[in-house]
Amino acid sequence: MPSMTVSENESGQRLDRYLRKIFPSMPISHIYKLIRTRKIRLNGKRPHIQTILESGDRIIIHMQEERFTSDTKRPRRKPVQPTFNIVFEDDHLLVVSKPAGLSVHGGKGHEKNSLIDQVHTYLGVPEQLSAFRPSLAHRLDRDTSGLLLIGKSGQALRTLGRMLKTRHIAKHYLALVLGKPKKPSGTWKFRVQRLDVPGGNQPHRTVSEKPGLTEYRLAMSRTLHLFKGIAREISLLDLHLITGRTHQIRSHLQQSGLPLAGDPRYGDPDFNRMLRKRYNLKRQFLHAYRIELAHPITQKPIILTDPFPDDLLGLARSLDLKIP
């Protein structure tokens, strides 16, 4: 009968979540059935689904070796050339600068080359059976560039998750917007109205019922001369995410009357066309430029910043925009 011993990196998680990683293609209902019908034994006893695993725990699975081998087989991925930049790395933590256009996880249209695929190639993560693989602690939109935290050990990844949940990691973004806020700083408290889901822009069908919180600070403003004497104010904002919901920044900017430059979904179409034609801006001007945290293992303070990437640098120089 197949058996496994829980490693230090794999400890601290629930049994069902551990098994979902061991059996990546098995429906969760089948995993629950294995536990319910006593096909899973933990240290010789019948476990509960929510049992928290510890290092050294021994798991025995009552199934044929052939079936076990088939159900635990991972799809083999072709190694991909990393396109990210390394900002910080030690035995437990990796911080990278993600380029725009790169999805953080595989999905429709980009199954074979995502940031996490590139990270696994860079770290030489083996394809062999394991319930722990270095993973992202948080995400960025595909067309947002900037800093991302990756846990290289199970302890670091779990600690980063708790720190994010309790708001002990400060993530700052730079956004170029059309207009200027009435106050130089403040906090937006809006429900996130997502335009990528049906009805998401309707007040009674917001995706998130709880308001999201975004702190903003005016870093600098400029007057942009368009044509025939028409001029518009634009602003570079430093945005601090207090909550971290999908599309929160883009939705909050739209709701505050400060559409994000280059954003095809939440931005101003005429403004976007002008920026594309004049400055070759082909994506949203949103960059995760600063992150502050205590190291998840040593607790040493870490402050990291990331300069404007190449695809934003031309516009930034033309408008004399600087990293705050």
Side-chain angles (χ1 to χ4, degrees):
M1 290 176 290
S3 65
M4 295 162 289
T5 301
V6 177
S7 69
E8 179 64 34
N9 277 338
E10 297 166 337
S11 65
Q13 59 184 312
R14 286 174 27 165
L15 174 63
D16 56 338
R17 293 176 180 171
Y18 173 92
L19 292 173
R20 290 187 73 173
K21 297 171 185 175
I22 292 295
F23 299 107
S25 59
M26 182 181 288
I28 186 63
S29 59
H30 290 191
I31 292 176
Y32 288 161
K33 185 177 180 180
L34 286 174
I35 299 174
R36 188 175 64 252
T37 57
R38 305 188 181 190
K39 298 293 179 62
I40 304 289
R41 307 295 284 182
L42 176 63
N43 299 325
K45 299 178 181 179
R46 180 186 179 185
H48 191 276
I49 289 173
Q50 298 181 351
T51 298
I52 302 298
L53 298 178
E54 298 180 1
S55 179
D57 281 347
R58 185 169 177 78
I59 297 172
I60 296 177
I61 303 175
H62 292 260
M63 67 165 52
Q64 296 294 328
E65 289 282 355
E66 295 80 5
R67 175 69 184 276
F68 177 80
T69 300
S70 175
D71 287 342
T72 57
K73 186 176 182 180
R74 295 182 183 275
R76 184 171 296 277
R77 290 187 178 274
K78 183 179 179 181
V80 289
Q81 184 65 31
T83 59
F84 57 81
N85 292 321
I86 298 170
V87 180
F88 175 91
E89 184 178 9
D90 63 13
D91 290 342
H92 296 277
L93 178 65
L94 174 66
V95 185
V96 304
S97 174
K98 183 189 82 70
L102 179 63
S103 175
V104 293
H105 287 117
K108 187 176 181 180
H110 38 79
E111 297 89 345
K112 298 180 180 179
N113 184 13
S114 67
L115 176 67
I116 197 61
D117 292 325
Q118 294 186 9
V119 166
H120 288 167
T121 295
Y122 166 72
L123 294 176
V125 176
E127 293 288 339
Q128 65 195 45
L129 179 65
S130 173
F132 174 79
R133 296 164 74 80
S135 301
L136 297 166
H138 58 113
R139 301 187 180 192
L140 291 177
D141 286 349
R142 183 170 63 87
D143 289 326
T144 298
S145 55
L147 299 173
L148 274 169
L149 300 169
I150 296 154
K152 291 176 60 177
S153 68
Q155 182 183 1
L157 187 61
R158 291 190 294 273
T159 302
L160 289 171
R162 289 194 296 269
M163 292 169 68
L164 286 164
K165 189 174 183 179
T166 56
R167 302 175 184 175
H168 283 83
I169 297 178
K171 297 179 292 180
H172 289 261
Y173 297 72
L174 287 175
L176 182 67
V177 301
L178 178 62
K180 184 178 179 180
K182 294 180 180 179
K183 297 181 179 180
S185 62
T187 301
W188 294 317
K189 187 177 181 180
F190 305 134
R191 292 180 177 178
V192 177
Q193 298 178 355
R194 288 178 57 180
L195 301 185
D196 62 329
V197 295
N201 62 335
Q202 301 300 320
H204 63 289
R205 295 187 66 184
T206 49
V207 173
S208 173
E209 289 301 320
K210 292 184 178 180
L213 296 173
T214 306
E215 290 182 347
Y216 73 88
R217 178 177 65 85
L218 177 64
M220 57 194 72
S221 61
R222 299 284 185 266
T223 299
L224 188 62
H225 297 279
L226 303 179
F227 52 87
K228 297 181 179 179
I230 298 176
R232 298 291 300 274
E233 244 181 340
I234 59 173
S235 302
L236 185 69
L237 303 181
D238 178 332
L239 305 174
H240 172 213
L241 273 181
I242 300 177
T243 57
R245 301 190 173 92
T246 302
H247 291 193
Q248 177 176 314
I249 287 178
R250 299 163 68 188
S251 175
H252 279 189
L253 288 173
Q254 183 200 47
Q255 293 180 68
S256 63
L258 300 166
L260 178 63
D263 190 333
R265 197 182 296 274
Y266 297 83
D268 181 278
D270 292 335
F271 183 49
N272 290 347
R273 280 193 292 271
M274 185 276 296
L275 292 176
R276 186 181 182 97
K277 183 177 180 180
R278 184 180 295 184
Y279 300 105
N280 199 33
L281 181 65
K282 297 179 180 179
R283 56 100 167 183
Q284 59 200 28
F285 197 115
L286 186 60
H287 181 59
Y289 87 102
R290 182 181 175 94
I291 199 160
E292 304 171 25
L293 72 156
H295 189 283
I297 304 300
T298 67
Q299 299 302 304
K300 181 180 179 180
I302 297 176
I303 300 176
L304 301 170
T305 58
D306 192 29
F308 288 122
D310 290 343
D311 63 338
L312 298 182
L313 198 55
L315 175 56
R317 286 173 173 168
S318 295
L319 300 177
D320 194 27
L321 305 177
K322 302 182 184 301
I323 298 290

